[in-house]
Amino acid sequence: MESPGAEWPCLRYRLLPWAHALFLPTLAMETLNIVVAFCSQKIWPVFPQCAGEENWVDSRTIYVGHKEPPPGAEAYIPQRYPDNRIVSSKYTFWNFIPKNLFEQFRRIANFYFLIIFLVQLIIDTPTSPVTSGLPLFFVITVTAIKQGYEDWLRHKADNAMNQCPVHFIQHGKLVRKQSRKLRVGDIVMVKEDETFPCDLIFLSSNRGDGTCHVTTASLDGESSHKTHYAVQDTKGFHTEEDVDRLHATIECEQPQPDLYKFVGRINVYSDLNDPVVRPLGSENLLLRGATLKNTEKIFGVAIYTGMETKMALNYQSKSQKRSAVEKSMNVFLIVYLCILVSKALVNTVLKYVWQSEPFRDEPWYNQKTESERQRNLFLRAFTDFLAFMVLFNYIIPVSMYVTVEMQKFLGSYFISWDEDMFDEETGEGPLVNTSDLNEELGQVEYIFTDKTGTLTENNMAFKECCIEGQVYVPHVICNGQVLPDSSGIDMIDSSPGVSGREREELFFRALCLCHTVQVKDDDQVDGPRKSPDSGKSCVYISSSPDEVALVEGIQRLGFTYLRLKDNYMEILNRNDDIERFELLEILSFDSVRRRMSVIVRAATGEIYLFCKGADSSIFPRVTEGRVDQIRARVERNAVEGLRTLCVAYKSMAPEEYEGACRLLQAAKVALQDREKKLAEAYEQIERDLILLGATAVEDRLQEKAADTIEALQKAGIKVWVLTGDKMETAAATCYACKLFRRSTQVLELTTKRIEEQSLHDVLFELSKTVLRCSGSLTRDNFSGLSADMQDYGLIIDGVALSLIMKPREDGSSSNYRELFLEICRNCSAVLCCRMAPLQKAQIVKLIKFSKEHPITLAIGDGANDVSMILEAHVGIGVIGKEGRQAARNSDYAIPKFKHLKKMLLVHGHFYYIRISELVQYFFYKNVCFIFPQFLYQFFCGFSQQTLYDTAYLTLYNISFTSLPILLYSLMEQHVGIDVLKRDPSLYRDIAKNALLRWRVFTYWTFLGLFDALVFFFGAYFMFENTVVTSGGQMFGNWTFGTLVFTVMVFTVTLKLALDTHYWTWINHFVIWGSLLFYIVFSLLWGGIIWPFLSYQRMYYVFMHMLSSGPAWLGIILLITVSLLPDVLKKVLCRQLWPTATERTQARNQCLSVEQPTVFMLSQTSSGLSF
């Protein structure tokens, strides 16, 4: 039984404007769902069905021009709908501070430091609250400013869009107002090249046939022109007064995100007669974001506005993205938090065990007051526990998060400054919209890319045609000269004979007639074109860019399509004579048939059927023609990545044509199974054809797109293409960009196949096919380049994906998703065609949350790609021809697809290497820092006495050790840039968060524990034997702590120097400068350089320590012992178990040594001296 909540769409959508007004915009729909759910359960039995819903689950009634229906027609129930505002921002002025603080304190580290700061404020602790409070305040403030600025930019973009002027009809006059004030029911006028301000029902245009042309590049990525049709009874309204007199209501479905689906009807009222009811479909709907082309103006009525438009419903809400490194940091933080609690707990217990004897609990020199003796034991123990927590809390330094934020922010400029990623043609360079995900660029496992405008230039070019085995190429170059257009005949074959000439002209006529191209005349040219030269001023537009390329290509070969007028198609032949053909029928193209046909009548009275389509669709229907020669040419062009079509024809007798007309008419008027009956009629008509030839069109790939995909696959990254384009078009592009190779076995999971077999059978058959080889593909085989295993590619369309995403009919929780994912895992590449924008996001989400949890990246250039860009871990926008919606909503933006190679394989690699070392190093040096403090409590009666001076405690992470690791994390290059570009497989060494795994984390932690033991006990045993200086003075506890601290600062700094591969003067300056700064500061703080500090407890301590010879020897010896295990481990691992990166480093070192030697030998043999 269906849930009652499903019958409440009217309530939900009437409440939507109030929800936006009363609640936070991002919580509006969630609040509504709660309200509707409550109403459904509590008051559903007594609440009547919404008026006008009839049998539809979701519907709305719109009064055109806000006019009430005539009396007696139907009840007038005004409805509230949201206004036309678009909201993409995250914060408002009122909720910024609480919402941003809530998001920031969701981070475990920030929340932890807040608790520590509050504890320091409440109780008496060994350290000052300032040591935790100031760094936390700095981090929170800087992050809030950055996020506030980013959201301010989104507010600015929203305001620019919401304040655009819109023309609408009011009382028969044209009125102008802001887009945000538009309401459902308003009649809007849109002019040529303007963008539709909301979703409109097309009422009329200036064209007599009631059509208009639009481009939907920002919605589905297709820049070709699409034809839409006005309502039959309103297409004659050409003036504002005519439209204002319209009396009609529209009933349609509630907003839903499918761009290609719309169901509704319009009731047009007249004074005398009953209302005329006309069906409305997607061909009558003009979507927000689309642009009007080749039409002077149109009138339309607003039906969906603001956040209810299909474009807005296809946008995902922008959520905070967190990188895998940040998640690892949070996990490590929890581990160290557990260690911290354990340390504090152990010390607290041991303290009270130690003080169980009276003379230890209250010694003679530190007697307690009466109030202290009467305090509750558990309260005292809890206070001591908190004090120990504060004492040891430096094991999790807030300075690490400050350093990470600075590293990300400063490191992001390396992308912006990269001259290799600057495009001279467009004058654009890379943009960084967020710096939080830099290291995620080095962890990508799946790339989801748009096709049109991302992989391709969206620029079709006619390459050649093959007629009866002869190849025709426009602008043939012969002996360095370009032959005339009409002479573009391949010189391999001799000139065709008489019958060949007839077939040649039939082929050219077929391409001039078999299409849906519209002609936009040049305003300066009056009348039909009289010559090919003048014909070139025609501008051809079509829903398919292939058709435009074919018509323009045939024009260069001598036949020019002029126009369609009064149902007659006019073409200009080679003799400059105009030929007229009556257009009788169009058998439209569809992705199942993969072909289209036209039936025309020539001036001589002969009737022809011209058909063009995919070779697999045409060849089985051909009974005559040079099939073998043409098939060979088609296969050769397909291998070269060209898009091929075959052309055929047949002559029809009048009786045969009349039978075809009756068959088509019966199918067209059918109310049930109309598409199925039309398909059967087409199948009967399109048979017994004569093959004429084939064409080849090139969809030009972007420069180096194929090389980029090949490099990404070698890096172990799986590439998926998600496009709204047709399957044939997309598949040809995939072959051209080497996503599919000649050896790839392409599997189809499409609507056509599911109609032939059940979805269950198709999935299990594909699963058996891909798993036939032993086991699944490993990561090393992801690229599909292995010669040992069959390379599979998968093609799936939007309808098939919808069926896969639906739960099974038996209601069981299991579905086909896991089986589909298993098939995809074993395919080297996947092509998803006919995808709506929200389906693209669903695909990304499906892979993102699969059991492996891979890191995903989405790249696109249009507004239709925004959803998947926001859904993926990393979103990249291409700054292309389809606007800047994708670039504005992405994390990074690049001028061309080819720049993705360097962004991932070089920048991403470096970012990950650098920040992973930064994180591990910070935890390591703080284990070295705090573990001696823990050991010291065993020697001071667990009195919470600090081992180090307060200045050393505060400055250790802020000054003494922070700058070297920051510079390392900005400048380190473990291998050269050229090496990373030349050998993409090095990217695999860092895959799956390799440098932040538990094994590596454990090694760094135990290395820190070992070094801490060496520092503390080395100094302890040295002090045990050398308790006085040469002057007879005794060493105290501050000298002991200073010695441990000195060894520690030198060890952790030299450890970083050993890890550095890329040395510059800046590294030398920072590393040695930090050590020098520590020495100078210690002399200053000890009153040596600045005598005014002589009153404090560290007076002359540092100098006393250095005045002892054993102290010098101890420092050198302890540093050497501490560094030795790490050096031995590096040497052994490089010799016995080297990684690919380490082998590359060794090879480059050998080359760098050999090249100077060879150079000197060659110079010496030449008798040159230096």
Side-chain angles (χ1 to χ4, degrees):
M1 182 177 177
E2 194 172 21
S3 169
E7 301 293 337
W8 282 73
C10 287
L11 177 61
R12 178 180 284 107
Y13 284 95
R14 287 172 192 168
L15 288 175
L16 187 60
W18 298 101
H20 275 281
L22 297 175
F23 303 100
L24 304 178
T26 53
L27 298 178
M29 285 308 298
E30 288 84 346
T31 307
L32 277 178
N33 290 334
I34 295 171
V35 173
V36 172
F38 173 79
C39 294
S40 303
Q41 294 174 8
K42 300 295 182 184
I43 60 174
W44 168 254
V46 298
F47 201 93
Q49 189 177 10
C50 294
E53 275 194 325
E54 300 180 355
N55 294 326
W56 292 348
V57 174
D58 280 351
S59 67
R60 62 169 55 182
T61 301
I62 296 148
Y63 303 98
V64 178
H66 308 289
K67 294 180 181 176
E68 298 181 17
E74 60 180 85
Y76 175 65
I77 304 176
Q79 300 179 34
R80 290 184 62 88
Y81 301 108
D83 58 23
N84 202 38
R85 281 179 297 177
I86 290 292
V87 180
S88 65
S89 54
K90 191 175 179 180
Y91 305 106
T92 66
F93 178 80
W94 303 107
N95 71 8
F96 173 73
I97 292 177
K99 192 173 181 180
N100 186 264
L101 288 177
F102 172 74
E103 287 185 350
Q104 291 206 57
F105 283 115
R106 281 170 57 194
R107 288 185 174 183
I108 297 174
N110 290 345
F111 185 71
Y112 162 76
F113 291 121
L114 177 65
I115 296 298
I116 292 294
F117 174 65
L118 294 177
V119 168
Q120 288 178 300
L121 287 176
I122 295 169
I123 68 171
D124 183 23
T125 57
T127 56
S128 168
V130 176
T131 57
S132 296
L134 274 180
L136 177 64
F137 178 76
F138 175 76
V139 171
I140 295 296
T141 304
V142 169
T143 306
I145 290 172
K146 185 184 77 168
Q147 293 179 352
Y149 175 71
E150 290 173 353
D151 202 64
W152 176 76
L153 293 178
R154 286 192 286 270
H155 271 284
K156 194 175 178 182
D158 290 343
N159 289 336
M161 187 179 293
N162 294 330
Q163 293 174 7
C164 285
V166 174
H167 297 90
F168 73 107
I169 310 300
Q170 190 174 44
H171 306 304
K173 296 181 180 179
L174 208 59
V175 180
R176 180 172 166 173
K177 64 180 178 182
Q178 292 180 348
S179 173
R180 63 187 175 88
K181 296 181 180 179
L182 201 61
R183 294 188 298 153
V184 170
D186 284 345
I187 300 176
V188 180
M189 186 189 79
V190 180
K191 297 180 180 179
E192 186 173 7
D193 294 327
E194 289 183 351
T195 301
F196 300 119
C198 60
D199 292 351
L200 306 169
I201 290 296
F202 181 21
L203 297 177
S204 65
S205 72
N206 67 302
R207 300 169 70 98
D209 56 359
T211 61
C212 73
H213 303 289
V214 303
T215 57
T216 57
S218 63
L219 293 171
D220 57 14
E222 295 185 14
S223 59
S224 53
H225 290 62
K226 295 178 175 63
T227 304
H228 287 256
Y229 301 91
V231 177
Q232 184 68 26
D233 298 272
T234 63
K235 68 178 184 181
F237 298 166
H238 298 299
T239 65
E240 290 82 355
E241 292 79 9
D242 292 340
V243 175
D244 190 55
R245 285 196 294 269
L246 175 63
H247 209 172
T249 60
I250 294 173
E251 295 171 88
C252 63
E253 61 187 359
Q254 291 289 3
Q256 50 95 7
D258 192 337
L259 295 177
Y260 309 108
K261 181 183 175 185
F262 176 75
V263 177
R265 66 189 181 200
I266 183 169
N267 304 305
V268 182
Y269 298 96
S270 59
D271 295 334
L272 303 175
N273 303 322
D274 292 334
V276 178
V277 181
R278 298 288 184 190
L280 297 175
S282 57
E283 69 276 5
N284 309 115
L285 182 66
L286 304 173
L287 300 178
R288 177 174 190 147
T291 305
L292 183 65
K293 293 290 183 181
N294 198 29
T295 309
E296 184 180 332
K297 66 178 180 179
I298 65 102
F299 294 102
V301 58
I303 58 165
Y304 304 135
T305 53
M307 300 306 290
E308 288 186 346
T309 59
K310 289 181 180 286
M311 182 182 76
L313 292 175
N314 273 281
Y315 279 172
Q316 297 282 90
S317 59
K318 191 158 188 176
S319 58
Q320 185 78 16
K321 293 182 179 181
R322 305 194 187 281
S323 69
V325 171
E326 186 174 343
K327 292 173 185 174
S328 296
M329 286 169 58
N330 289 337
V331 174
F332 296 160
L333 182 73
I334 293 172
V335 172
Y336 275 89
L337 194 58
C338 294
I339 294 173
L340 172 63
V341 172
S342 302
K343 283 183 176 182
L345 197 59
V346 168
N347 275 258
T348 304
V349 172
L350 291 178
K351 175 177 181 176
Y352 283 89
V353 171
W354 166 263
Q355 294 179 352
S356 58
E357 297 183 24
F359 73 92
R360 288 178 177 171
D361 183 33
E362 194 174 347
W364 61 270
Y365 56 83
N366 189 20
Q367 292 186 354
K368 295 180 179 178
T369 63
E370 191 62 31
S371 61
E372 287 177 334
R373 290 194 186 97
Q374 292 177 359
R375 284 185 68 191
N376 184 278
L377 177 65
F378 291 104
L379 183 60
R380 278 190 292 147
F382 182 68
T383 304
D384 285 329
F385 172 76
L386 292 178
F388 278 119
M389 286 279 290
V390 171
L391 182 65
F392 299 142
N393 89 89
Y394 294 94
I395 197 172
I396 308 170
V398 69
S399 60
M400 179 179 71
Y401 287 86
V402 178
T403 307
V404 166
E405 289 289 334
M406 292 177 67
Q407 189 271 346
K408 289 183 175 183
F409 176 71
L410 296 174
S412 63
Y413 283 99
F414 289 119
I415 291 180
S416 304
W417 293 337
D418 193 336
E419 295 181 357
D420 292 342
M421 297 176 68
F422 184 83
D423 186 57
E424 297 287 348
E425 181 183 342
T426 60
E428 299 281 359
L431 301 174
V432 179
N433 296 327
T434 177
S435 59
D436 294 336
L437 303 171
N438 294 343
E439 64 276 9
E440 205 81 328
L441 295 171
Q443 292 293 293
V444 175
E445 296 171 69
Y446 281 80
I447 290 178
F448 300 92
T449 175
D450 180 38
K451 180 188 75 71
T452 310
T454 304
L455 290 177
T456 68
E457 293 181 352
N458 201 16
N459 188 10
M460 306 291 180
F462 180 82
K463 301 301 289 184
E464 66 172 52
C465 59
C466 175
I467 308 171
E468 293 277 308
Q470 284 193 316
V471 179
Y472 294 69
V473 183
H475 300 304
V476 172
I477 299 177
C478 183
N479 297 327
Q481 295 185 346
V482 179
L483 299 182
D485 289 343
S486 57
S487 304
I489 301 175
D490 196 325
M491 298 305 175
I492 295 174
D493 297 320
S494 59
S495 182
V498 177
S499 62
R501 176 68 66 177
E502 291 176 358
R503 291 283 175 88
E504 174 190 309
E505 293 189 352
L506 267 177
F507 178 87
F508 292 150
R509 289 189 180 96
L511 288 180
C512 280
L513 299 171
C514 188
H515 56 71
T516 56
V517 170
Q518 302 284 333
V519 181
K520 180 180 180 181
D521 291 336
D522 192 333
D523 295 337
Q524 297 177 353
V525 180
D526 190 17
R529 308 297 184 258
K530 297 300 181 184
S531 70
D533 293 335
S534 63
K536 288 176 186 175
S537 59
C538 294
V539 177
Y540 297 118
I541 56 176
S542 172
S543 59
S544 169
D546 299 71
E547 289 192 330
V548 174
L550 289 173
V551 172
E552 290 177 343
I554 295 304
Q555 181 183 18
R556 297 202 299 273
L557 289 172
F559 278 74
T560 303
Y561 172 63
L562 297 178
R563 61 181 173 176
L564 171 65
K565 184 178 181 182
D566 300 329
N567 221 36
Y568 279 87
M569 302 181 81
E570 298 179 357
I571 64 175
L572 193 70
N573 61 24
R574 285 175 174 168
N575 301 321
D576 289 352
D577 296 327
I578 295 178
E579 300 179 5
R580 302 179 82 241
F581 292 83
E582 183 183 359
L583 180 61
L584 302 175
E585 295 286 349
I586 297 178
L587 282 60
S588 302
F589 177 89
D590 63 71
S591 58
V592 177
R593 286 169 54 240
R594 302 186 181 185
R595 62 186 183 276
M596 75 160 290
S597 301
V598 293
I599 301 176
V600 296
R601 180 184 284 119
T604 58
E606 295 177 276
I607 299 175
Y608 294 99
L609 180 143
F610 292 114
C611 182
K612 71 177 182 187
D615 56 333
S616 59
S617 177
I618 298 294
F619 285 144
R621 288 162 180 78
V622 168
T623 57
E624 188 180 335
R626 298 189 180 182
V627 177
D628 294 335
Q629 295 96 318
I630 295 173
R631 189 195 302 273
R633 192 70 189 182
V634 166
E635 290 176 353
R636 175 183 169 184
N637 288 333
V639 168
E640 294 176 0
L642 300 178
R643 300 152 65 102
T644 58
L645 287 175
C646 294
V647 181
Y649 87 105
K650 72 173 181 180
S651 295
M652 300 181 73
E655 299 80 14
E656 184 182 2
Y657 166 66
E658 289 174 5
C661 277
R662 287 193 295 270
L663 203 61
L664 288 171
Q665 188 62 25
K668 286 180 179 178
V669 298
L671 297 178
Q672 299 292 330
D673 300 324
R674 180 183 297 177
E675 292 183 359
K676 181 180 178 182
K677 291 178 180 178
L678 276 173
E680 292 172 353
Y682 293 160
E683 188 71 23
Q684 291 187 37
I685 296 170
E686 295 170 327
R687 57 173 57 177
D688 302 327
L689 303 177
I690 301 171
L691 186 62
L692 289 173
T695 63
V697 173
E698 181 184 27
D699 184 5
R700 292 173 184 164
L701 286 177
Q702 284 199 13
E703 182 188 2
K704 296 183 180 178
D707 293 340
T708 301
I709 287 180
E710 188 175 12
L712 294 173
Q713 288 180 328
K714 286 180 180 177
I717 301 172
K718 299 185 87 170
V719 182
W720 290 31
V721 174
L722 311 182
T723 178
D725 217 336
K726 298 188 292 291
M727 188 179 79
E728 297 79 16
T729 306
T733 303
C734 288
Y735 277 107
C737 68
K738 297 181 182 178
L739 188 71
F740 294 157
R741 300 170 180 275
R742 294 182 64 181
S743 60
T744 303
Q745 181 180 341
V746 177
L747 310 172
E748 290 189 11
L749 182 54
T750 57
T751 310
K752 180 181 179 182
R753 188 165 180 187
I754 293 173
E755 288 175 352
E756 296 171 354
Q757 298 175 264
S758 68
L759 177 62
H760 180 275
D761 293 341
V762 173
L763 283 172
F764 275 91
E765 185 179 323
L766 293 177
S767 179
K768 288 179 183 177
T769 303
V770 298
L771 296 176
R772 193 173 298 151
C773 300
S774 57
S776 299
L777 292 177
T778 62
R779 184 178 175 84
D780 291 339
N781 299 113
F782 274 176
S783 64
L785 303 174
S786 174
D788 301 330
M789 305 182 74
Q790 174 63 53
D791 186 18
Y792 292 104
L794 178 68
I795 298 178
I796 181 173
D797 61 19
V799 176
L801 178 67
S802 299
L803 294 174
I804 289 170
M805 301 295 284
K806 282 175 60 178
R808 295 176 61 169
E809 294 180 359
D810 58 6
S812 61
S813 58
S814 62
N815 50 38
Y816 295 121
R817 295 185 189 184
E818 283 303 318
L819 191 57
F820 170 67
L821 283 172
E822 189 63 32
I823 295 168
C824 293
R825 286 189 199 103
N826 292 279
C827 293
S828 61
V830 178
L831 166 62
C832 304
C833 50
R834 281 297 174 199
M835 291 281 139
L838 213 54
Q839 284 184 311
K840 292 184 177 184
Q842 286 175 345
I843 282 278
V844 175
K845 190 174 183 178
L846 184 67
I847 298 299
K848 180 179 172 183
F849 292 107
S850 60
K851 61 183 181 182
E852 296 91 357
H853 294 286
I855 303 299
T856 58
L857 180 147
I859 178 171
D861 67 323
N864 60 310
D865 303 313
V866 169
S867 294
M868 72 170 181
I869 284 173
L870 294 177
E871 182 62 51
H873 291 94
V874 182
I876 295 185
V878 176
I879 308 170
K881 302 176 182 177
E882 299 176 7
R884 289 189 174 245
Q885 292 94 331
R888 191 170 64 242
N889 286 277
S890 63
D891 303 307
Y892 304 89
I894 53 178
K896 293 286 177 65
F897 182 79
K898 66 178 181 180
H899 298 131
L900 186 64
K901 177 180 176 181
K902 188 172 185 183
M903 176 169 271
L904 297 188
L905 303 187
V906 177
H907 289 290
H909 197 122
F910 283 154
Y911 282 138
Y912 179 74
I913 289 286
R914 292 163 179 169
I915 201 167
S916 58
E917 175 87 9
L918 184 152
V919 172
Q920 300 281 28
Y921 178 80
F922 250 103
F923 282 118
Y924 155 77
K925 73 186 181 72
N926 282 281
V927 171
C928 294
F929 182 43
I930 287 303
F931 196 65
Q933 178 75 66
F934 171 74
L935 295 174
Y936 185 61
Q937 296 306 304
F938 288 85
F939 295 86
C940 68
F942 307 100
S943 60
Q944 298 157 14
Q945 170 65 37
T946 58
L947 174 61
Y948 316 113
D949 181 66
T950 304
Y952 287 160
L953 278 170
T954 306
L955 296 179
Y956 175 72
N957 281 308
I958 295 176
S959 300
F960 299 149
T961 60
S962 61
L963 208 53
I965 186 59
L966 177 61
L967 261 293
Y968 176 96
S969 64
L970 289 173
M971 305 188 68
E972 172 63 2
Q973 295 182 19
H974 59 305
V975 290
I977 293 175
D978 293 335
V979 175
L980 288 176
K981 288 196 288 188
R982 191 168 59 246
D983 189 0
S985 63
L986 295 177
Y987 192 84
R988 302 185 185 205
D989 272 2
I990 61 171
K992 295 285 187 183
N993 209 10
L995 301 182
L996 289 174
R997 289 178 184 165
W998 286 109
R999 179 175 56 82
V1000 183
F1001 170 71
T1002 305
Y1003 168 77
W1004 279 88
T1005 302
F1006 277 101
L1007 183 64
L1009 290 174
F1010 172 81
D1011 289 350
L1013 289 170
V1014 172
F1015 304 155
F1016 185 83
F1017 287 107
Y1020 175 77
F1021 289 126
M1022 190 186 76
F1023 266 55
E1024 194 174 42
N1025 298 321
T1026 313
V1027 294
V1028 294
T1029 66
S1030 57
Q1033 295 175 314
M1034 294 183 65
F1035 281 171
N1037 68 311
W1038 294 117
T1039 311
F1040 174 72
T1042 303
L1043 178 63
V1044 172
F1045 192 82
T1046 302
V1047 175
M1048 177 175 57
V1049 169
F1050 274 79
T1051 300
V1052 298
T1053 305
L1054 292 175
K1055 156 72 176 157
L1056 188 64
L1058 289 173
D1059 287 348
T1060 302
H1061 296 90
Y1062 186 70
W1063 284 93
T1064 64
W1065 68 268
I1066 302 178
N1067 295 80
H1068 285 288
F1069 176 77
V1070 169
I1071 287 178
W1072 314 124
S1074 294
L1075 296 177
L1076 183 62
F1077 173 73
Y1078 165 68
I1079 295 171
V1080 171
F1081 175 82
S1082 296
L1083 294 173
L1084 172 71
W1085 190 243
I1088 310 303
I1089 299 176
W1090 197 4
F1092 300 103
L1093 295 174
S1094 61
Y1095 62 87
Q1096 52 92 30
R1097 61 193 176 192
M1098 290 297 290
Y1099 180 66
Y1100 243 75
V1101 167
F1102 193 68
M1103 184 58 72
H1104 286 168
M1105 182 190 72
L1106 294 182
S1107 66
S1108 171
W1112 281 90
L1113 180 62
I1115 290 172
I1116 296 171
L1117 186 63
L1118 292 177
I1119 291 172
T1120 305
V1121 173
S1122 300
L1123 294 175
L1124 191 59
D1126 191 49
V1127 174
L1128 289 175
K1129 180 254 180 187
K1130 280 183 166 61
V1131 172
L1132 288 175
C1133 287
R1134 280 176 175 270
Q1135 293 298 319
L1136 301 177
W1137 309 284
T1139 63
T1141 303
E1142 289 169 346
R1143 286 194 294 268
T1144 303
Q1145 289 171 343
R1147 194 161 53 244
N1148 290 340
Q1149 287 172 358
C1150 291
L1151 288 173
S1152 64
V1153 170
E1154 288 174 5
Q1155 285 176 356
T1157 306
V1158 172
F1159 176 74
M1160 290 180 70
L1161 287 172
S1162 64
Q1163 296 294 328
T1164 305
S1165 63
S1166 302
L1168 295 175
S1169 60
F1170 295 91

